[in-house]
Amino acid sequence: MPLFGEILALFVAISWTITALFAEVGSKRMGSLPFNAIRMSLSLIMFAIVLWLMMGTPYPRYADGATWGWILLSGLVGYVIGDYCLMQGYIIIGSRFGQLFMTLSAPSAAIVGRIFLGEEMRPVAILGMIITLTGIAMSILSKGSDESTEHSGQHVKLNLPLNGIIYACCAGICQGIGLVLSKVGLLHYDASINDAHAAGIIQPGIIDVPMDISVAFASTMIRGIMGLAGFLLMMMLLKNESLSHLRSAVRDRKAMWCTIGSMIFGPFIGVSVSLMATRYTSTGIAQTLFALTPVLIIAPAALLFHQKVRSREVIGAIISVAGAALFFLF
């Protein structure tokens, strides 16, 4: 089907926009750790059902030790650290600005891809990095005034809390690193599948789907296993995010509905379909369309959360997305 991969990639951007809106509400009501722990638990149940239908077992079949190792590491960086920082960012600066910083995943993926996969980092990537950072700066910086001096309006100030910016930056960087680690894991998974084919031990699931689709869901489940384990461990270690807090969070019906919505459009559909999209179109086109989320989220965030949107913030988001596109299209 022509443009099938591009359609999938655009759907991923829309899906991530929806999950970001759900996540902002849910994480503010529950706290980032309980929200992520519940979301991961629900997603693992969904993955187990889907894999049982696709592969005949409720767990990632045919994945060897190397596959598990790399994808678990991806889950540690992308889910445990990245999603924790992202939800903290949502709580402090909101999903609209939180998604803006996710454009940092492109330069971080390019740098780590150079280290782990030996991928070429061309001069245009440096230009893309500069443009991305320029777009972010336009959105979060403004001229300030100091009434105690005669030269008011001569210095630059942040429009957002610094701690929220730091959390969001870490989230974007971790997503890029996690993407590269997942790619390494998928290469090992493909090799393991080929070995299983050669040995004649591949067995069909209840429903007949292409193996690459099954592998996408199986890989995301492995990341989710690490995510859940990491969030539960963090909750036990941090006194202010105890397991008793988790029990009270479950009783918040509005927060639970937001958690379910975020789970469906995020870890379950969004991440899995993103892995599928990269198989049906070029990685560059897919990643560029994924990066549209910071632009797509502006209107619904302003409408739902009654946020005032400045023109420089919109322009900054567009410039930042354009910078991210340079990493993949040229």
Side-chain angles (χ1 to χ4, degrees):
M1 177 182 175
L3 300 179
F4 181 59
E6 288 80 358
I7 293 172
L8 288 178
L10 182 58
F11 177 77
V12 170
I14 296 172
S15 178
W16 284 348
T17 299
I18 296 172
T19 196
L21 297 170
F22 276 126
E24 178 176 349
V25 177
S27 59
K28 284 181 176 179
R29 295 179 69 92
M30 286 186 178
S32 60
L33 286 179
F35 176 82
N36 275 313
I38 294 172
R39 185 174 69 155
M40 285 298 155
S41 299
L42 295 174
S43 67
L44 287 178
I45 295 173
M46 294 286 288
F47 281 123
I49 295 172
V50 169
L51 291 184
W52 175 65
L53 294 173
M54 291 182 174
M55 288 185 159
T57 58
Y59 56 85
R61 202 170 190 177
Y62 312 118
D64 59 9
T67 300
W68 275 90
W70 282 103
I71 298 181
L72 284 175
L73 183 59
S74 168
L76 174 63
V77 175
Y79 274 175
V80 180
I81 303 175
D83 272 16
Y84 171 76
C85 289
L86 182 60
M87 297 309 150
Q88 287 292 107
Y90 285 171
I91 292 172
I92 300 170
I93 63 177
S95 58
R96 179 164 64 90
F97 285 108
Q99 280 298 311
L100 174 65
F101 284 92
M102 297 308 284
T103 55
L104 292 174
S105 66
S108 63
I111 294 171
V112 178
R114 170 70 175 170
I115 297 172
F116 281 90
L117 301 175
E119 295 177 342
E120 181 183 1
M121 192 170 179
R122 294 163 293 177
V124 71
I126 306 299
L127 176 61
M129 188 181 304
I130 295 172
I131 293 175
T132 297
L133 293 175
T134 300
I136 293 175
M138 283 186 62
S139 297
I140 67 173
L141 297 177
S142 65
K143 286 186 177 181
S145 60
D146 189 350
E147 297 178 354
S148 64
T149 68
E150 297 179 358
H151 304 286
S152 61
Q154 298 301 310
H155 69 278
V156 176
K157 70 173 184 179
L158 288 172
N159 294 329
L160 302 171
L162 180 59
N163 59 342
I165 292 174
I166 293 173
Y167 277 122
C169 283
C170 289
I173 292 170
C174 286
Q175 186 189 46
I177 297 173
L179 177 67
V180 175
L181 296 175
S182 291
K183 186 173 181 179
V184 177
L186 283 171
L187 293 175
H188 284 284
Y189 209 157
D190 288 340
S192 181
I193 293 291
N194 291 334
D195 291 341
H197 271 297
I201 59 175
I202 294 289
Q203 299 179 6
I206 296 176
I207 58 176
D208 186 21
V209 296
M211 184 57 73
D212 56 355
I213 295 178
S214 300
V215 167
F217 282 93
S219 300
T220 311
M221 183 179 189
I222 295 174
R223 296 188 80 198
I225 291 172
M226 171 55 77
L228 177 59
F231 292 133
L232 291 177
L233 178 61
M234 290 174 68
M235 290 181 68
M236 289 186 289
L237 294 177
L238 298 177
K239 295 179 180 180
N240 62 329
E241 296 280 10
S242 63
L243 291 176
S244 60
H245 192 182
L246 177 62
R247 288 191 291 269
S248 63
V250 174
R251 292 193 289 268
D252 187 332
R253 296 182 63 180
K254 182 177 181 179
M256 282 300 297
W257 279 114
C258 289
T259 305
I260 293 171
S262 177
M263 178 273 296
I264 292 174
F265 289 100
F268 184 65
I269 293 178
V271 176
S272 299
V273 176
S274 70
L275 295 176
M276 292 168 53
T278 57
R279 293 178 179 268
Y280 289 99
T281 188
S282 70
T283 302
I285 293 175
Q287 293 295 333
T288 301
L289 292 173
F290 296 164
L292 288 174
T293 300
V295 176
L296 296 178
I297 200 173
I298 292 174
L303 180 64
L304 294 174
F305 305 134
H306 309 291
Q307 298 175 350
K308 181 180 180 181
V309 180
R310 299 178 177 86
S311 59
R312 66 182 291 117
E313 295 170 356
V314 177
I315 296 171
I318 294 173
I319 291 175
S320 184
V321 169
L326 288 178
F327 282 86
F328 305 109
L329 290 182
F330 301 99

